[in-house]
Amino acid sequence: MSKRVIIIGSGLGGLSCGVILAKNGYDVTVLEQSNQIGGCLQCFTRHGAKFETGMHFIGSAAKGQTLDKIMHYLEIDKNIVLAQLDTTGYDMVSLSGQQFRFANGRDQFIAQMSEYFPNQRKNLEKYFDLVESVSSASSLHSLKYAETDATVNMKYQLCSINEVIDEVITDPLLAKVLVGNLPLYAAEQDKTPFAVHAFIMDFYNQSAFRIAGGSDQIAKALSSTIHKYGGRVMARQRVTKILCDDTKATGVEINNSEILEGDYVISDAHPNRTIELLDTKLIRPAFRNRIKSIPQTIGCFSVYLHFAKDKVPYMNYNFYGYNTDTPWKCEEYDESSWPKGYLYMHFCPSSLSRYAETGVILSYMKMSEVERWKGTSIRRRGDDYEAFKKYKAETLIASLERQFPGLRSNIVDYYTSTPLTYLDYTGTEDGSMYGIAKDISLGPAGRVPHKTKIPNLYLTGQNINSHGMLGVMVGTIVTCSEFLTAKVIYEQIIKANE
């Protein structure tokens, strides 16, 4: 009889764990409390317009690259249409009255940046050597379980982004430009490890794509693979308790009534949500308190834009706009200084039209700004909440309009979300953008283990390694290695791509 694995949550981590284990003979059941599966892969539709909520673009997905190989192994590549971003400038950073393009590829990136900063070419080469060295130290980069460089890995997990860049880059403006995409990982000065920056820069520098028709296609494709191997993905199944006996996890309670027994339980929920589901002496108060005390990344305010038909040309890159002279400390704002910065993107229509149908503006927002409405339900938070969101949305659109004159007149309608929305839909603590924050000062105390103190209970998802598609996949492989070993998983990935 196959071992039964219950997975709590159908985000990317839960679904990808489900695929790997189902492919290897486990009896997999994925339980999702919402109507729609996918977590941050979810999309929503308003008045015929479709919007992304989280996975806005991915990297390293060109033929033969790391994510392409993983997607093929997960058997989802044929069901997903990718639209490549501009290789001469997939990211654009607007800072100090200038605009700077990030080109794909090492040589192109260095050549492009050297045009802006001709005296920094050698330093740019050193910087890129460092990015490649750190990212190559990961076994996932090579897809060979044994090929890691622990010394490099550890060193740059303990050095902050700005500390390392300031050692290599002597032009202060270039040092700021190189972190112009930090909203992708909510980096904080003197806290976020350089390794996080290096992995993300390498990931997108290789190639950058949007998912035509929406990232919910990834969730649907993963669910289809799970079903293919005999597993189940079930929505509207809220786990209300993780059941344990005196020694191990034994299953879950669903919707406060039904009991589902299992040999293993994997939680893709935020670690704090997982701990709340546990009523057992197997988890000590000290561990509970440590997990609850780990800081979270800041939350996000989103304005989802619905454009007039055939009015706004599709923007084949991501735009990072800053109203201050630095990308750092945008999370430290008051009412008069917000927004210090934002990320503006178009969603890729399934028709691959020359015009954008929808887009989004993202800017940091503290949970404290919406704390007074905590405990209220979606679409029932009251007129004052709606007025608050409208004021913020108009402020953000006005900021964007300064970079894209005339855009406001081409917006048919817009919709908004706050950290409360993230909290309600994803369960992430304080509605944070990316869950657990990486902080060099915390060391091991700031990390969440994939293997809990309860035998047979494991964690997966963006809090276990890192967020984003590749970061979550690392966490997936780490979690599934408890069942199969990392060596087996990497060998399977390589064999699937022969």
Side-chain angles (χ1 to χ4, degrees):
M1 182 177 176
S2 299
K3 292 286 188 180
R4 297 163 299 175
V5 180
I6 300 168
I7 299 176
I8 304 169
S10 67
L12 177 60
L15 291 172
S16 54
C17 277
V19 168
I20 292 174
L21 295 178
K23 281 169 67 82
N24 282 278
Y26 287 85
D27 180 5
V28 170
T29 302
V30 181
L31 302 173
E32 170 56 51
Q33 66 176 354
S34 301
N35 294 331
Q36 184 182 165
I37 67 168
C40 289
L41 296 170
Q42 291 180 67
C43 296
F44 69 92
T45 302
R46 295 285 185 275
H47 298 105
K50 191 172 184 180
F51 301 91
E52 299 267 11
T53 64
M55 191 71 69
H56 298 107
F57 72 115
I58 60 176
S60 297
K63 190 65 178 174
Q65 292 178 348
T66 304
L67 190 56
D68 171 66
K69 290 180 178 179
I70 292 174
M71 289 170 68
H72 186 70
Y73 167 63
L74 297 173
E75 302 181 32
I76 63 174
D77 53 319
K78 290 182 174 61
N79 298 315
I80 295 167
V81 178
L82 298 179
Q84 190 161 14
L85 296 182
D86 187 348
T87 58
T88 67
Y90 63 93
D91 277 350
M92 182 181 289
V93 175
S94 179
L95 184 66
S96 298
Q98 300 179 65
Q99 293 184 343
F100 306 90
R101 299 168 67 85
F102 285 27
N104 286 123
R106 172 199 168 86
D107 294 343
Q108 295 90 325
F109 180 89
I110 292 171
Q112 179 69 72
M113 281 294 161
S114 296
E115 288 186 18
Y116 307 127
F117 303 95
N119 296 326
Q120 291 291 304
R121 186 175 188 102
K122 288 193 178 300
N123 289 340
L124 281 163
E125 290 172 353
K126 292 177 187 175
Y127 161 79
F128 214 96
D129 285 345
L130 203 50
V131 165
E132 290 187 325
S133 172
V134 173
S135 57
S136 296
S138 161
S139 58
L140 189 74
H141 187 276
S142 62
L143 289 180
K144 294 179 181 178
Y145 75 100
E147 291 196 10
T148 61
D149 189 327
T151 304
V152 171
N153 244 324
M154 183 58 68
K155 177 180 179 180
Y156 291 103
Q157 289 286 357
L158 298 175
C159 297
S160 71
I161 298 169
N162 50 292
E163 177 187 356
V164 174
I165 289 180
D166 288 346
E167 284 181 0
V168 177
I169 303 297
T170 55
D171 187 303
L173 179 58
L174 175 57
K176 294 172 184 175
V177 169
L178 291 175
V179 296
N181 63 355
L182 60 77
L184 290 178
Y185 47 109
E188 292 187 61
Q189 198 168 29
D190 301 322
K191 291 184 179 181
T192 307
F194 179 77
V196 173
H197 170 82
F199 286 134
I200 287 172
M201 286 296 291
D202 177 74
F203 181 49
Y204 290 114
N205 179 262
Q206 290 186 45
S207 61
F209 296 83
R210 293 197 179 118
I211 298 118
S215 58
D216 57 351
Q217 306 303 312
I218 295 175
K220 292 173 184 175
L222 289 167
S223 177
S224 177
T225 308
I226 291 171
H227 283 102
K228 174 183 174 181
Y229 289 96
R232 293 157 296 282
V233 180
M234 304 163 66
R236 296 184 293 279
Q237 303 292 313
R238 182 169 175 261
V239 173
T240 45
K241 189 179 291 185
I242 297 173
L243 305 174
C244 302
D245 60 19
D246 292 339
T247 61
K248 63 185 182 302
T250 60
V252 299
E253 174 192 82
I254 305 170
N255 298 326
N256 291 308
S257 57
E258 182 185 351
I259 302 298
L260 183 62
E261 295 181 347
D263 298 294
Y264 304 96
V265 177
I266 299 174
S267 178
D268 186 29
H270 189 283
N272 287 5
R273 302 290 80 77
T274 303
I275 285 177
E276 290 167 359
L277 297 173
L278 289 163
D279 181 15
T280 172
K281 293 179 180 178
L282 294 171
I283 292 285
R284 296 180 179 178
F287 180 79
R288 291 178 184 269
N289 293 335
R290 181 177 79 77
I291 295 300
K292 288 183 178 180
S293 68
I294 299 176
Q296 311 294 314
T297 60
I298 193 167
C300 176
F301 182 71
S302 308
V303 182
Y304 301 96
L305 306 171
H306 183 186
F307 301 126
K309 184 176 176 58
D310 296 345
K311 290 292 185 182
V312 178
Y314 175 62
M315 194 174 76
N316 202 23
Y317 59 90
N318 308 306
F319 185 88
Y320 303 81
Y322 292 98
N323 298 320
T324 65
D325 64 355
T326 177
W328 292 114
K329 298 191 180 299
C330 289
E331 72 279 3
E332 297 178 7
Y333 64 85
D334 55 28
E335 189 170 341
S336 62
S337 63
W338 187 88
K340 288 186 173 181
Y342 57 84
L343 168 55
Y344 171 52
M345 294 172 286
H346 287 172
F347 301 132
C348 183
S350 55
S351 62
L352 300 181
S353 166
R354 292 193 302 114
Y355 292 94
E357 299 173 4
T358 54
V360 67
I361 324 170
L362 307 172
S363 191
Y364 292 157
M365 178 173 280
K366 304 167 190 170
M367 186 63 167
S368 59
E369 286 206 76
V370 291
E371 191 81 39
R372 67 191 121 153
W373 295 289
K374 205 169 181 179
T376 59
S377 57
I378 295 166
R379 289 189 284 278
R380 290 182 176 85
R381 305 197 198 277
D383 292 343
D384 52 349
Y385 179 72
E386 295 303 322
F388 166 82
K389 291 198 299 175
K390 183 175 181 179
Y391 172 76
K392 289 290 187 178
E394 293 293 340
T395 302
L396 197 50
I397 291 171
S399 184
L400 181 65
E401 175 90 4
R402 289 193 285 273
Q403 293 283 354
F404 296 86
L407 181 69
R408 184 70 180 83
S409 63
N410 292 319
I411 299 173
V412 174
D413 208 347
Y414 64 76
Y415 312 93
T416 55
S417 68
T418 72
L420 280 180
T421 320
Y422 274 71
L423 176 61
D424 285 348
Y425 276 104
T426 68
T428 186
E429 186 71 9
D430 286 336
S432 67
M433 294 174 75
Y434 306 120
I436 300 289
K438 304 296 186 290
D439 188 334
I440 59 172
S441 67
L442 295 177
R447 301 192 187 103
V448 178
H450 67 282
K451 190 175 181 180
T452 72
K453 301 291 184 180
I454 301 175
N456 298 355
L457 174 61
Y458 303 93
L459 305 178
T460 194
Q462 68 176 3
N463 298 288
I464 305 312
N465 176 73
S466 185
H467 67 281
M469 191 151 182
L470 200 60
V472 171
M473 287 310 308
V474 174
T476 291
I477 292 171
V478 169
T479 301
C480 290
S481 68
E482 291 294 329
F483 299 78
L484 305 167
T485 77
K487 179 181 180 181
V488 167
I489 297 170
Y490 284 124
E491 285 176 348
Q492 288 182 353
I493 294 172
I494 293 167
K495 185 175 181 180
N497 284 276
E498 287 177 349

